[in-house]
Amino acid sequence: MAGKLQKEEQVADVELYIDPVCPFAWAASRWLLDAARKTDTPVTLRQMSLAVLNEGNDLNPKQQQMMARSRRLGRLFAAVGVGHGADAFARLYDAVGTRIHVRGEEMSADEVRQSLAECGLHESLSESLDDATLDEAARQAHQASQDVLGGSAGSPIIAVDGRGFFGPVLTGLPGSDDGVRLLEAILTAAATPEFAVLQRPYHGPPTLEEAR
């Protein structure tokens, strides 16, 4: 396996901004959390909102449905993030993301309540799905993701020691060793002040089975 980050070196603080409905954010989070465990790299998952990002855009019916789900789940994640903290946010993302991106569930109110129970959170939090007063908290969380990037972009956004980049966009889950090397490369790039962007065309949604 690729070597761990040197213990004597300062450990980077990594944040990943995600929208729970985004399959590319789900793929990035699965890679990042796995690689972070292997390298003792602290990672915090944070909220952004594709619904807020796409306000005023001309969307097709499928995209409109996705944005409606983004907005409702955004209220839930805002309530959990503000009221219960980053650990609860991450647990809920794991539960909800598995249902959406692995099982293909639509996240009905019953499925949300089940996800909350799995995370040790009170099922009454499902009422936040329809609580429009939480839209402002979701909007503020989204703005924080754009501020760390210094521009406008979708999900995911990764920030290393406060320096944000759109992505990484993964079309599949890398194997264990490749995942560690990818994290090390991103940490190196983020620590290079002159580095700005590296991009190539891609297609989705991502394949969510780990490479062997």
Side-chain angles (χ1 to χ4, degrees), residues 45-198:
L45 299 182
R46 300 198 184 279
Q47 183 177 9
M48 65 88 64
S49 173
L50 292 177
V52 173
L53 181 70
N54 284 283
E55 286 178 347
N57 291 344
D58 186 15
L59 305 176
N60 63 41
K62 184 177 181 179
Q63 292 170 328
Q64 291 175 15
Q65 184 180 33
M66 184 179 184
M67 293 310 104
R69 185 161 59 167
S70 168
R71 190 171 302 282
R72 295 184 78 234
L73 287 174
R75 295 166 178 167
L76 172 66
F77 277 86
V80 170
V82 172
H84 300 272
D87 287 346
F89 181 98
R91 295 198 308 272
L92 182 62
Y93 181 60
D94 185 65
V96 170
T98 298
R99 287 178 177 272
I100 293 175
H101 303 294
V102 178
R103 302 180 192 171
E105 296 180 6
E106 294 296 324
M107 294 314 297
S108 66
D110 282 343
E111 289 163 349
V112 168
R113 283 190 287 269
Q114 292 167 16
S115 297
L116 288 164
E118 291 168 9
C119 301
L121 295 168
H122 201 281
E123 294 180 19
S124 64
L125 281 164
S126 63
E127 297 173 4
S128 63
L129 292 168
D130 299 311
D131 185 355
T133 65
L134 290 164
D135 287 345
E136 182 58 28
R139 188 177 300 278
Q140 290 177 5
H142 174 74
Q143 187 58 50
S145 75
Q146 307 301 281
D147 289 345
V148 78
L149 179 66
S152 178
S155 176
I157 291 171
I158 194 169
V160 179
D161 292 333
R163 189 170 187 226
F165 300 87
F166 171 61
V169 176
L170 302 178
T171 58
L173 298 181
S176 179
D177 289 359
D178 286 343
V180 169
R181 284 190 286 267
L182 176 59
L183 176 57
E184 291 173 339
I186 288 175
L187 296 182
T188 298
T192 305
E194 296 80 7
F195 178 78
V197 64
L198 182 68

